[in-house]
Amino acid sequence: DSGILKAIDLSASDDNGVFSDGKMAYAYDYLSNLDMLLKRGDDECWVNVSSIETEVDGEELVEVLFINEDGEKLLLKRAIYGSETDDLTGTLNRNAIMRALEQMTQQGASHTFILLDIDTFKEVNLTFGYKMGDQVLVNVVNILRKHLRADDILGRIGDDEFFICLYSVGDREVAKRIASGIVHNTRLELPGGLNITTSVGVVMSPADGNSAAEIYGHADLAMLNARKKGGDTYSFYDEI
């Protein structure tokens, strides 16, 4: 369950984990967001542990992430605390997301940012009406919340566009699996054979930008590149 605190001695190993140079590899069926205290000799640190469902070569997997807890996360949460939210989805709105994005880029740490656009949203509104369109948006947000970590930031920045800030995710392979998982999990089937898919643009800082404007602009270009490929996929900015 979320919030469970555990302590693990990194000098030991057992049937569930392998420890080498302070690193650990675990295989879990599922993990909620939790805090864990890692110990090695006299050294210890708190990390946030979470899982993200993804798909690799047609096989559904669970990616377990270990993120070092530090003061930057607390500062970020304070910066966006009390910010405006989107009335329909309950996510942060565009202004709040841009403030969070600016705060994260000023830290100088490595983060991943994702811009998601629903490929067939206009068709949904034209075919079923705006009420169904609103429900699709809510469903997509619920899916994203289920598969993102508690520390990730999600906001609606347009009619059918969402922005995701993945805190302290600086590994490209991890970012790739997260993007793939988002594309896979946001596929929805509607009556009449109309399918919901998404186009996802991925930007990694600081390599792809050092300001909120740069990150957002590059994420938009990456998302548009994914749409040019036919949608239902992701694209990294540095691959355009």
Side-chain angles (χ1 to χ4, degrees), residues 2-13:
S2 178
I4 293 177
L5 303 181
K6 296 183 178 180
I8 293 182
D9 187 351
L10 293 187
S11 64
S13 63

Side-chain angles (χ1 to χ4, degrees), residues 33-219:
N33 189 71
L34 59 88
D35 291 319
M36 179 180 291
L37 177 61
L38 301 184
K39 295 182 178 181
R40 186 173 189 179
D42 295 330
D43 297 327
E44 63 180 41
C45 69
W46 284 97
V47 297
N48 178 264
V49 187
S50 60
S51 64
I52 298 174
E53 296 182 19
T54 186
E55 181 185 29
V56 177
D57 296 330
E59 182 181 0
E60 293 187 359
L61 302 174
V62 175
E63 178 80 15
V64 181
L65 301 180
F66 293 78
I67 306 297
N68 183 46
E69 299 273 29
D70 53 35
E72 290 183 351
K73 185 174 66 177
L74 296 177
L75 291 174
L76 177 61
K77 287 186 174 181
R78 289 172 184 168
I80 64 174
Y81 179 77
S83 297
E84 306 87 18
T85 57
D86 176 61
D87 291 336
L88 175 64
T89 63
T91 64
L92 295 181
N93 64 16
R94 183 185 182 93
N95 290 335
I97 275 290
M98 295 305 291
R99 285 196 294 272
L101 180 54
E102 191 65 49
Q103 179 70 22
M104 292 177 71
T105 54
Q106 289 176 357
Q107 293 173 356
S110 298
H111 307 294
T112 296
F113 302 95
I114 290 177
L115 179 60
L116 177 150
D117 180 83
I118 301 176
D119 297 321
T120 52
F121 189 68
K122 291 183 179 179
E123 288 81 352
V124 171
N125 284 333
L126 291 174
T127 304
F128 300 104
Y130 291 102
K131 187 174 181 179
M132 174 65 81
D134 287 348
Q135 188 59 53
V136 167
L137 294 176
V138 171
N139 289 347
V140 168
V141 166
N142 288 338
I143 291 171
L144 292 175
R145 282 175 171 158
K146 179 181 178 182
H147 296 284
L148 294 176
R149 303 168 301 166
D151 292 330
D152 296 330
I153 300 172
L154 171 63
R156 183 185 178 195
I157 59 173
D159 288 342
D160 61 336
E161 288 188 346
F162 296 91
F163 202 87
I164 302 168
C165 304
L166 302 174
Y167 189 87
S168 293
V169 176
D171 187 281
R172 186 182 184 87
E173 289 304 313
V174 172
K176 185 181 296 185
R177 288 192 288 270
I178 294 173
S180 176
I182 289 174
V183 170
H184 171 70
N185 291 308
T186 52
R187 292 171 182 151
L188 302 173
E189 294 184 5
L190 297 182
L194 182 59
N195 295 323
I196 298 296
T197 59
T198 57
S199 294
V200 170
V202 186
V203 171
M204 304 189 71
S205 71
D208 295 334
N210 294 301
S211 69
E214 276 187 325
I215 293 295
Y216 176 76
H218 293 167

